[in-house]
């Protein structure tokens, strides 16, 4: 009987020792999420801002909402950072992975938002052109 108690205490010690050496899964989730957020910032936000900057160079033809774009991008990446911190601090593995994926999705939406806002302004500007064209045609025909 003493032998089985001694044996079980050894296995418990070995199991605890193995678990102590490995990186906790919550930190792995937060690290994977952080890598995805950084890659999104580099590979999505960078080209989108370049395209929006090229559209802004059109001058008075298109007004780019710089303030709204800046606010959404900064706020989106701050929310992503908060979600990654939550993933690192969470005790449940499924919650850590869920928060890491949500952080990536929020950063993706924040990275795509500048082109959506610029396209919205372009469509708004195109709607303003039709009355001008109609007025011009009326002036030419009369």
């Amino acid at each position: 009987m003493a032998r089985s108690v001694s044996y079980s205490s050894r296995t418990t010690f070995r199991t605890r020792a193995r678990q102590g050496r490995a990186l906790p899964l919550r930190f792995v989730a937060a690290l994977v999420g952080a890598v995805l957020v950084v890659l999104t910032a580099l590979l999505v936000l960078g080209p989108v801002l370049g395209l929006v900057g090229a559209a802004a160079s059109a001058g008075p033809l298109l007004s780019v909402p710089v303030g709204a774009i800046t606010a959404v991008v900064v706020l989106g990446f701050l929310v992503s950072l908060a979600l990654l911190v939550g993933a690192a601090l969470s005790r449940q593995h499924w919650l850590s992975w869920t928060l890491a994926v949500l952080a990536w999705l929020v950063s993706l939406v924040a990275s795509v938002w500048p082109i959506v806002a610029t396209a919205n302004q372009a469509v708004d500007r195109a709607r303003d052109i039709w009355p001008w064209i109609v007025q011009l045609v009326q002036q030419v025909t009369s």
Side-chain angles (χ1 to χ4, degrees):
M1 187 100 155
R3 184 173 240 197
S4 67
V5 171
S6 174
Y7 179 72
S8 68
S9 65
R10 283 187 205 155
T11 17
T12 305
F13 175 74
R14 287 182 187 157
T15 306
R16 286 185 185 160
R18 282 189 212 133
Q19 288 176 353
R21 290 184 203 147
L23 190 63
L25 194 57
R26 62 184 179 183
F27 292 128
V28 173
L31 184 64
V32 167
V35 167
L36 287 174
V37 167
V38 168
L39 285 176
T40 300
L42 292 175
L43 300 177
V44 177
L45 183 61
V48 164
L49 289 180
L51 187 60
V52 168
S57 69
L61 298 177
L62 179 64
S63 63
V64 177
V66 177
I69 288 173
T70 304
V72 169
V73 169
V74 168
L75 186 65
F77 278 95
L78 285 176
V79 169
S80 292
L81 180 64
L83 287 168
L84 288 173
V85 168
L89 295 178
S90 174
R91 295 278 182 201
Q92 299 169 342
H93 298 138
W94 65 269
L95 184 60
S96 295
W97 284 104
T98 303
L99 291 174
V101 169
L102 281 175
W104 174 65
L105 290 175
V106 168
S107 72
L108 189 62
V109 168
S111 295
V112 173
W113 174 253
I115 202 152
V116 171
T118 304
N120 188 25
Q121 284 294 328
V123 167
D124 215 21
R125 187 71 164 170
R127 285 187 195 135
D128 293 343
I129 276 201
W130 283 112
W132 179 78
I133 291 174
V134 169
Q135 182 185 9
L136 184 64
V137 168
Q138 286 175 351
Q139 285 178 357
V140 170
T141 57
S142 53

